[in-house]
Amino acid sequence: MKLLISAGGTGGHIFPGIAVAEAFTGMHESNDVVFVGTRQGMEGGIIPRYGFKLLFIEAHQFQGKNTFSKAATLIRLIQGIRAAKVVIGLEKPDAILGMGGFTCVPTILAGVMLGLPTYLHEQNVEPGLANKLLSRFVRSTFVSFVATKKYLKTKRVYHTGNPLRKTLKGVNVAEEKSSFNVFIFGGSRGARSINESILTLLPFMESYKNTVMFHQTGAEDFEYIRKAYEGSKVGHEVFPFTDHMEKYYNLSDVVISRSGATTIFELAYFHKAAILVPYPFSAGQHQKTNAMHVASLGGAYIVENDQLSGEKLHGLLLGLMNDPNHVKEMGNSIGKLYIEDAAERIIKEIVGF
């Protein structure tokens, strides 16, 4: 069986798609996966590294501020659908899975028009505009959170969880440590507001001798953040990027991060207490909705981006350092979100058509 997966834009859409592809190809040697994405997103630098074929089409965000913008959007969409039909005709997939976002719109619509079984996966608590619209046409929509069902006007919704790629799930062992460890990251490209808040946090942390901070800065901020750490007395390991997130999740007691869906489910897998800083410009404020959902479960504290400061972070970290039982409880609370067989649940619905 051949599955075409449309995934692109950010890692939050791409990595769950890779997880499904890994599970699907691992089920039978005759199973095959081809990805469709755009040249504008991160997919070109990620998907081929995992050994999967990637084809490109044009896909653009909806622009509807005036008549000209609406017309341009419609023309681009028609062009994208035509290109997707060509790809589908060449690859001849048995089914199509879209991982959300504007990137998958032309491919899903092309699949529907051609009569192919088409499916969606929504990572976030509240779906974006693309998935809200597409969910009305596809055979099934898979959701990471139970709470997502109320946002979709279709009964064909299945709670599957959010699939995590194999490399991340390889190790989940609590390592022995004598220090209180904090893992900080803002995504693969970093987050400047988080990075700068850590600079103002360092003076507060210098008096805690048994604290180590692991900080993924992103390439752009790496040098000046590294120098700031070197000028402090705080135990640290600073790096622009890592392919071994599992190492630092295992080492950490608390994580400071954004609140994209993939991050949320990585935290859930590793049962890590979190301080979440929602990205303020995420489409539809979906990161804030994600964070609020986790906080309602008792798995995280939320700090708004415009309220982020070293003093604020220090107050939260100090409370957690002094209450290890609460840290464990928070980890267990967010851990309830994780579904081990998320990819298999999705595949089961697809191959059953």
Side-chain angles (χ1 to χ4, degrees):
M1 182 177 176
K2 190 171 191 177
L3 179 63
L4 186 151
I5 300 178
S6 180
T10 65
H13 295 303
I14 297 165
F15 287 121
I18 289 172
V20 173
E22 290 174 334
F24 182 73
T25 54
M27 285 181 172
H28 197 281
E29 61 182 11
S30 65
N31 283 354
D32 189 21
V33 173
V34 60
F35 279 84
V36 174
T38 72
R39 296 188 184 279
Q40 292 81 20
M42 297 172 62
E43 52 268 39
I46 296 176
I47 292 171
R49 295 206 321 257
Y50 286 82
F52 295 107
K53 182 178 180 180
L54 172 63
L55 301 174
F56 297 104
I57 65 169
E58 287 294 319
H60 301 272
Q61 288 181 298
F62 298 121
Q63 303 289 334
K65 294 181 179 179
N66 54 54
T67 302
F68 177 79
S69 296
K70 291 178 181 178
T73 295
L74 180 60
I75 291 170
R76 287 174 172 176
L77 178 59
I78 292 171
Q79 292 172 338
I81 292 172
R82 287 175 178 170
K85 284 183 176 180
V86 171
V87 169
I88 292 169
L90 292 172
E91 294 296 327
K92 296 179 172 55
D94 296 291
I96 298 173
L97 173 63
M99 301 308 297
F102 69 89
T103 301
C104 77
V105 173
T107 305
I108 291 296
L109 290 178
V112 170
M113 291 175 182
L114 293 171
L116 284 171
T118 56
Y119 304 85
L120 282 176
H121 183 267
E122 173 57 53
Q123 293 85 47
N124 298 293
V125 172
E126 183 172 359
L129 177 60
N131 272 8
K132 284 181 179 178
L133 294 173
L134 294 176
S135 65
R136 302 182 184 188
F137 303 105
V138 298
R139 294 201 175 187
S140 302
T141 300
F142 310 119
V143 297
S144 298
F145 300 87
V146 174
T148 304
K149 292 182 179 181
K150 66 184 180 183
Y151 295 103
L152 298 172
K153 294 182 179 180
T154 175
K155 295 180 179 179
R156 303 182 302 275
V157 180
Y158 297 90
H159 177 222
T160 61
N162 198 29
L164 299 183
R165 59 198 187 278
K166 288 190 298 185
T167 52
L168 188 79
K169 295 168 62 177
V171 179
N172 185 8
V173 179
E175 300 190 18
E176 291 189 15
K177 52 186 183 297
S178 58
S179 57
F180 183 87
N181 298 339
V182 184
F183 180 26
I184 305 136
F185 66 95
S188 58
R189 295 175 177 173
R192 177 150 296 171
S193 60
I194 293 178
N195 290 341
E196 292 180 345
S197 72
I198 299 304
L199 296 184
T200 62
L201 171 65
L202 290 178
F204 289 101
M205 303 302 292
E206 288 186 334
S207 60
Y208 305 106
K209 303 303 180 185
N210 288 331
T211 299
V212 178
M213 300 175 71
F214 303 103
H215 191 160
Q216 178 180 283
T217 64
E220 192 171 335
D221 291 348
F222 172 65
E223 282 300 328
Y224 88 90
I225 296 294
R226 178 184 62 80
K227 290 178 181 178
Y229 273 98
E230 289 179 351
S232 76
K233 299 177 183 178
V234 178
H236 64 272
E237 183 179 339
V238 183
F239 39 92
F241 179 76
T242 179
D243 278 322
H244 301 287
M245 294 288 285
E246 68 281 359
K247 171 185 175 181
Y248 298 100
Y249 277 126
N250 275 313
L251 284 171
S252 66
D253 294 283
V254 177
V255 175
I256 300 173
S257 69
R258 293 298 195 195
S259 51
T262 294
T263 296
I264 296 297
F265 281 87
E266 289 174 358
L267 292 167
Y269 175 71
F270 288 97
H271 285 225
K272 294 299 173 181
I275 298 172
L276 299 176
V277 186
Y279 180 57
F281 305 110
S282 60
Q285 290 289 297
H286 70 255
Q287 285 209 11
K288 184 174 181 179
T289 307
N290 292 346
M292 290 173 64
H293 185 73
V294 177
S296 72
L297 299 175
Y301 293 119
I302 301 175
V303 179
E304 297 287 356
N305 200 73
D306 59 0
Q307 298 175 4
L308 192 57
S309 68
E311 184 176 7
K312 179 75 171 180
L313 291 174
H314 172 248
L316 293 173
L317 288 173
L318 181 59
L320 293 169
M321 291 167 66
N322 291 331
D323 194 350
N325 287 332
H326 184 47
V327 173
K328 186 175 181 180
E329 288 170 1
M330 290 178 68
N332 289 336
S333 294
I334 193 171
K336 293 175 183 177
L337 288 171
Y338 181 68
I339 295 177
E340 176 63 35
D341 62 342
E344 288 76 14
R345 291 187 183 197
I346 291 169
I347 293 166
K348 181 180 178 181
E349 290 297 326
I350 292 175
V351 300
F353 70 83

